[in-house]
């Protein structure tokens, strides 16, 4: 079961996303979807959907771990296994929805001038091969920082 801190972390991200969507809906009704406020709301939506996705993936990991620990076939453990499976499916669905929201928010920001996020590494040969290795190291370090920072923020 999620702790109070987990619930507060996820609830705050949901409140930010809800508030941003309400303001964007009002702006769309008045045909005013442009400017700095629009970009800041899109950035807030990107952050909120990222936090929601991270939270769901983190909970999915715990649900899968709990399912692996349930080894016996007693009726209570079977019920707990089914409950863990249902929670895991809900986490996957929520994480995929938050990924869609984050991608849509990022594309809006790209359309308004945010640089493209490059994910490809180009393999170099010779002395420039060290640059490829360095770029891969930076990517691994950035990923570790995002996971550690997200865990510290939410839990």
């Amino acid at each position: 079961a999620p702790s109070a801190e987990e619930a507060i972390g996820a609830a705050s991200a949901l409140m930010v996303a809800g508030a941003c969507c309400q303001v964007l809906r009002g702006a769309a009704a008045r045909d005013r979807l442009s400017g700095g406020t629009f970009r800041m709301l899109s950035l807030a939506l990107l952050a909120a959907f990222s936090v929601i996705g991270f939270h769901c993936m983190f909970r999915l990991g715990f649900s899968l771990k709990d399912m692996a620990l349930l080894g016996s076939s007693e009726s209570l453990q079977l019920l707990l296994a089914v409950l863990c499976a249902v929670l895991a499916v809900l986490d996957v669905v929520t994480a995929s929805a938050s990924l869609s929201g984050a991608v849509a928010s990022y594309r809006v920001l790209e359309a308004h001038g945010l640089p493209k996020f490059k994910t490809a590494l180009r393999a170099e040969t010779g002395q420039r091969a060290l640059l490829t290795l360095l770029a891969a190291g930076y990517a691994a370090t950035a990923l570790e920082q995002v996971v550690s920072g997200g865990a510290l923020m939410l839990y």
Side-chain angles (χ1 to χ4, degrees):
S3 67
E5 291 85 14
E6 289 179 42
I8 290 171
S12 62
L14 285 172
M15 288 176 15
V16 167
C20 289
C21 287
Q22 289 288 359
V23 172
L24 286 173
R25 185 175 63 179
R30 293 187 314 265
D31 199 24
R32 297 189 61 176
L33 289 176
S34 63
T37 304
F38 177 68
R39 286 191 295 271
M40 290 306 293
L41 289 171
S42 297
L43 187 60
L45 276 176
L46 176 64
F49 283 129
S50 299
V51 167
I52 293 167
F54 181 84
H55 176 69
C56 291
M57 294 308 291
F58 206 73
R59 280 194 36 187
L60 177 64
F62 280 116
S63 295
L64 293 177
K65 181 188 75 153
D66 291 343
M67 285 173 57
L69 293 177
L70 298 173
S72 180
S73 62
E74 296 176 12
S75 63
L76 180 61
Q77 289 182 343
L78 181 62
L79 179 65
L80 290 175
V82 169
L83 180 64
C84 285
V86 168
L87 289 175
V89 168
L90 288 175
D91 285 337
V92 167
V93 168
T94 307
S96 64
S98 68
L99 178 65
S100 298
V103 167
S105 298
Y106 193 80
R107 287 194 179 140
V108 166
L109 290 170
E110 276 183 344
H112 283 83
L114 190 71
K116 274 198 161 222
F117 185 70
K118 296 180 183 177
T119 56
L121 288 176
R122 194 175 71 220
E124 299 283 346
T125 57
Q127 290 190 356
R128 295 190 57 118
L130 182 60
L131 293 176
T132 302
L133 183 61
L134 187 61
Y138 279 143
T141 303
L143 182 63
E144 189 272 332
Q145 290 294 316
V146 165
V147 170
S148 298
L152 285 173
M153 182 182 80
L154 287 174
Y155 312 107

